[in-house]
């Protein structure tokens, strides 16, 4: 009994040991595989890699650069805030406080003004946008420009219709003129000239031309830009100028060879108003004999000047004197001169001639009568009639006046006497126009 039981126990122990051995064997193999894989991964990580490591200086410079960028951004933000505060103060009228903030902002960032007011990118226009109702008129002008062979980039503008060219260019932008590119960044508290309506600018131009017809200033105004060029070609301004020069003899454009009022004013014979016409005459005169030498007969050379100035309202001034032009042109500036030697009169234009009528009134001379009679008054009144022909030269149009007729009608003691002067070239040379700048420095009234 005991032997059998012992034998059974031994069999059980062997079977259990064999089963435990069989179970422990696969567990050790999995651990070994895990260890092998782990060792292989460690070996791969320990292998040297040929990658350049950043040096300490590079790392330090990168850190410093990032710090500088942050510092620059903060400085620019400070300058921007200071500049915007200055603009608010300037709009409220505190200019001195605003200038302090502007100075501090520019010390931080010199070009902060351009960074604050930098242009925004224009949004692209949709392809199906609605067309302008005046596009047909603009297309017609563009076709006319193409037919006239007008190129926007060409430099030779001698035979180009500038009015048509500028009208087309202004029609594309929709404005006659605008601020310059550099001025758009500036902050202004007053209105710009481009903000004014066109009617107001035309009224200002009437003051520029004035009632003295200072057309030279109008032409200078037209040479500033395209918009000013078109405004200076306003037909109403030139029509009023022609009306003031020729009056009822102006006529209409339809029956004349001129295509515009400006062309009539430029090419039709007339006189200039921004100066005076001057001539110099000379003659020989025998002097008195000396009481010591009866055979000595002196000859004297006499020189004198004639000055004629025309006004746009039909008045004229004439002066005959021996003084030089530098001393006399200032005396003819006013319509009512204080000097008695300056004669006043009126003139009219007839084709290429100027007809002048000047009257001189002398004060009465008292004569003592005989045997206690009352003094007899003597009245002297002289009227001069002058006809001059307008002559142009190759350099200056209407710059000379040639004598055609000169007569005097004298009324004395109710008797009229007419004297006709002989127009000798030595005594009556042509009058040449000379410009005087201070004649049109002031404007007394607008052109009407």
């Amino acid at each position: 009994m005991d032997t059998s039981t012992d034998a059974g126990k031994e069999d059980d122990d062997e079977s259990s040991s064999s089963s435990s051995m069989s179970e422990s064997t696969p567990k050790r193999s999995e651990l070994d595989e895990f260890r092998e894989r782990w060792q292989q991964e460690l070996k791969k990580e320990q292998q040297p890699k040929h990658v350049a490591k950043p040096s300490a200086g590079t790392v330090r410079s990168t850190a410093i650069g990032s710090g500088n960028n942050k510092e620059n951004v903060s400085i620019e933000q400070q300058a921007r805030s200071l500049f915007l505060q200055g603009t608010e103060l300037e709009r409220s009228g505190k200019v001195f406080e605003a200038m302090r903030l502007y100075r501090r902002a520019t010390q931080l960032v010199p070009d902060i003004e351009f960074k604050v007011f930098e242009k925004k990118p224009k949004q692209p226009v949709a392809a199906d946008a609605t067309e302008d109702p005046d596009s047909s008129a603009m297309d017609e002008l563009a076709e006319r420009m193409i037919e006239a062979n007008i190129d926007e980039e060409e430099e030779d503008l001698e035979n180009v219709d500038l009015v048509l060219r500028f009208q087309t260019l202004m029609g594309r932008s929709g404005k006659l003129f605008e601020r310059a590119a550099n001025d758009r960044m500036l902050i202004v508290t007053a209105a710009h000239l481009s903000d004014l309506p066109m009617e107001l600018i035309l009224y200002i131009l009437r003051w520029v031309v004035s009632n003295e017809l200072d057309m030279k200033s109008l032409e200078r105004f037209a040479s500033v830009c395209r918009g000013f060029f078109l405004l200076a070609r306003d037909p109403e301004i030139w029509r009023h100028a022609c009306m003031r020069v020729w009056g009822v003899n102006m006529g209409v454009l339809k029956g004349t060879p001129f295509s515009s009022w400006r062309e009539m004013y430029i090419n039709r014979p007339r006189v200039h108003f921004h100066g005076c016409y001057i001539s110099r005459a000379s003659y020989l005169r025998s002097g008195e004999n000396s009481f010591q030498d009866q055979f000595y007969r002196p000859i004297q050379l006499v020189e004198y000047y004639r000055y004629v100035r025309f006004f746009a309202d039909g008045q004229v001034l004439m002066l005959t004197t021996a003084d030089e032009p530098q001393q006399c042109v200032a005396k003819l500036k006013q319509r009512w001169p204080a000097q008695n030697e300056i004669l006043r009169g009126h003139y009219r234009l007839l084709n290429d001639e100027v007809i002048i009528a000047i009257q001189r009134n002398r004060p009465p001379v008292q004569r003592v009568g005989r045997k206690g009679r009352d003094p007899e008054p003597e009245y002297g009144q002289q009227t001069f009639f002058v006809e001059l022909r307008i002559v142009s030269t190759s350099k200056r149009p209407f710059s000379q006046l040639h004598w055609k007729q000169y007569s005097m009608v004298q009324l004395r003691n109710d008797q009229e006497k007419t004297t006709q002067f002989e127009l000798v070239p030595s005594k009556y040379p042509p009058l040449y126009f000379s410009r005087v700048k201070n004649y049109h420095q002031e404007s007394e009234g607008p052109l009407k």
Side-chain angles (χ1 to χ4, degrees):
M1 294 285 294
D2 296 333
T3 56
S4 61
T5 54
D6 294 335
K9 289 180 180 179
E10 290 177 0
D11 294 336
D12 294 336
D13 293 336
E14 290 177 358
S15 62
S16 62
S17 63
S18 62
S19 62
S20 62
M21 289 292 292
S22 62
E23 291 178 358
S24 61
T25 302
K27 289 182 179 179
R28 284 196 296 269
S29 62
E30 291 178 359
L31 288 174
D32 293 339
E33 291 177 359
F34 175 75
R35 288 173 181 172
E36 289 178 359
R37 288 197 302 269
W38 181 48
Q39 290 177 359
Q40 290 177 0
E41 290 177 0
L42 289 176
K43 289 180 181 180
K44 289 180 180 180
E45 291 180 358
Q46 291 177 359
Q47 289 180 358
K49 296 181 180 179
H50 301 283
V51 178
K53 295 183 180 180
S55 61
T58 306
V59 174
R60 183 179 179 183
S61 63
T62 306
I64 293 174
S66 61
N68 289 337
N69 290 334
K70 293 180 180 179
E71 185 178 357
N72 291 335
V73 171
S74 62
I75 291 175
E76 184 176 349
Q77 290 177 355
Q78 293 177 8
R80 183 184 293 269
S81 63
L82 290 173
F83 191 87
L84 293 177
Q85 291 176 10
T87 56
E88 295 296 332
L89 291 175
E90 185 178 0
R91 289 171 183 170
S92 61
K94 300 178 181 179
V95 181
F96 294 101
E97 291 81 356
M99 291 299 296
R100 293 177 183 175
L101 295 179
Y102 288 155
R103 191 179 297 109
R104 290 175 57 188
T106 52
Q107 287 176 356
L108 295 176
V109 180
D111 57 344
I112 186 62
E113 181 179 358
F114 298 98
K115 291 184 178 180
V116 172
F117 298 102
E118 60 185 358
K119 294 182 180 179
K120 297 181 180 180
K122 295 183 179 180
Q123 297 180 356
V125 182
D128 55 348
T130 57
E131 295 183 356
D132 190 2
D134 297 335
S135 60
S136 59
M138 296 306 304
D139 294 340
E140 183 179 356
L141 285 175
E143 291 178 0
R144 291 173 61 187
M145 283 186 63
I146 294 173
E147 292 177 359
N149 295 326
I150 298 176
D151 187 10
E152 187 175 353
E153 301 296 333
E154 65 183 355
E155 297 181 358
D156 187 11
L157 303 177
E158 184 177 357
N159 298 323
V160 174
D161 187 0
L162 292 180
V163 176
L164 175 61
R165 173 192 174 96
F166 291 162
Q167 283 178 351
T168 306
L169 295 177
M170 293 298 108
R172 294 176 183 175
S173 61
K175 295 182 180 179
L176 281 175
F177 44 84
E178 56 186 1
R179 298 182 184 180
N182 297 331
D183 295 342
R184 296 172 189 171
M185 300 294 182
L186 302 178
I187 300 176
V188 293
T189 57
H192 190 262
L193 188 61
S194 60
D195 301 330
L196 300 179
M198 186 175 63
E199 293 79 8
L200 182 57
I201 300 177
L202 290 176
Y203 183 72
I204 295 174
L205 285 183
R206 290 178 181 269
W207 276 93
V208 172
V209 176
S210 74
N211 51 10
E212 297 295 337
L213 297 185
D214 187 9
M215 311 307 292
K216 193 174 185 65
S217 298
L218 183 64
E219 292 298 318
R220 289 179 177 176
F221 175 83
S223 62
V224 175
C225 64
R226 298 170 181 172
F228 287 2
F229 183 88
L230 294 178
L231 289 174
R233 296 300 187 273
D234 181 56
E236 283 299 314
I237 294 179
W238 293 96
R239 188 180 70 84
H240 281 83
C242 294
M243 177 66 74
R244 193 163 180 82
V245 172
W246 290 284
V248 295
N249 297 326
M250 179 183 66
V252 294
L253 284 176
K254 190 174 182 180
T256 60
F258 310 111
S259 60
S260 63
W261 296 112
R262 181 176 179 272
E263 185 179 353
M264 175 187 287
Y265 185 87
I266 293 175
N267 297 326
R268 188 171 175 178
R270 56 180 174 82
V271 292
H272 295 293
F273 306 112
H274 57 286
C276 60
Y277 291 84
I278 305 174
S279 69
R280 183 179 66 178
S282 61
Y283 63 93
L284 297 176
R285 184 180 66 179
S286 59
E288 296 181 356
N289 297 335
S290 176
F291 68 94
Q292 296 179 354
D293 189 359
Q294 298 294 330
F295 298 98
Y296 176 71
R297 300 184 62 181
I299 302 297
Q300 299 175 352
L301 177 63
V302 181
E303 290 187 353
Y304 62 95
Y305 297 86
R306 285 192 182 93
Y307 303 90
V308 179
R309 193 208 167 173
F310 298 94
F311 292 90
D313 58 352
Q315 296 187 24
V316 62
L317 299 179
M318 180 180 289
L319 173 63
T320 303
T321 179
D323 296 336
E324 296 288 336
Q326 292 80 0
Q327 304 174 3
C328 295
V329 292
K331 299 178 182 179
L332 303 176
K333 184 177 181 180
Q334 304 297 332
R335 284 186 174 85
W336 302 90
Q339 294 80 4
N340 294 327
E341 63 270 15
I342 300 178
L343 305 180
R344 294 181 62 254
H346 295 82
Y347 74 94
R348 287 292 180 268
L349 294 175
L350 182 61
N351 297 329
D352 61 342
E353 296 180 0
V354 185
I355 302 174
I356 303 174
I358 298 176
Q359 188 174 4
R360 172 190 288 175
N361 293 322
R362 291 185 176 180
V365 178
Q366 300 292 336
R367 288 187 177 182
V368 180
R370 296 181 181 179
K371 297 181 181 180
R373 295 180 181 178
D374 295 334
E376 299 179 358
E378 180 181 355
Y379 297 95
Q381 181 178 352
Q382 296 176 342
T383 305
F384 300 92
F385 295 96
V386 181
E387 292 185 12
L388 301 172
R389 185 166 57 90
I390 303 173
V391 178
S392 300
T393 60
S394 58
K395 295 183 179 180
R396 302 183 66 179
F398 323 129
S399 60
Q400 296 182 14
L401 296 178
H402 292 193
W403 294 84
K404 188 176 181 180
Q405 186 178 356
Y406 186 22
S407 61
M408 180 186 66
V409 178
Q410 185 176 8
L411 181 62
R412 184 176 181 181
N413 295 332
D414 296 334
Q415 294 182 0
E416 186 175 301
K417 181 181 178 181
T418 303
T419 303
Q420 192 77 24
F421 295 96
E422 184 180 358
L423 300 179
V424 181
S426 60
K427 292 184 179 181
Y428 298 94
L431 292 97
Y432 296 89
F433 178 76
S434 177
R435 182 192 171 198
V436 183
K437 294 182 179 180
N438 63 351
Y439 280 179
H440 286 165
Q441 285 183 350
E442 299 177 358
S443 179
E444 298 179 357
L447 176 64
K448 295 181 180 179

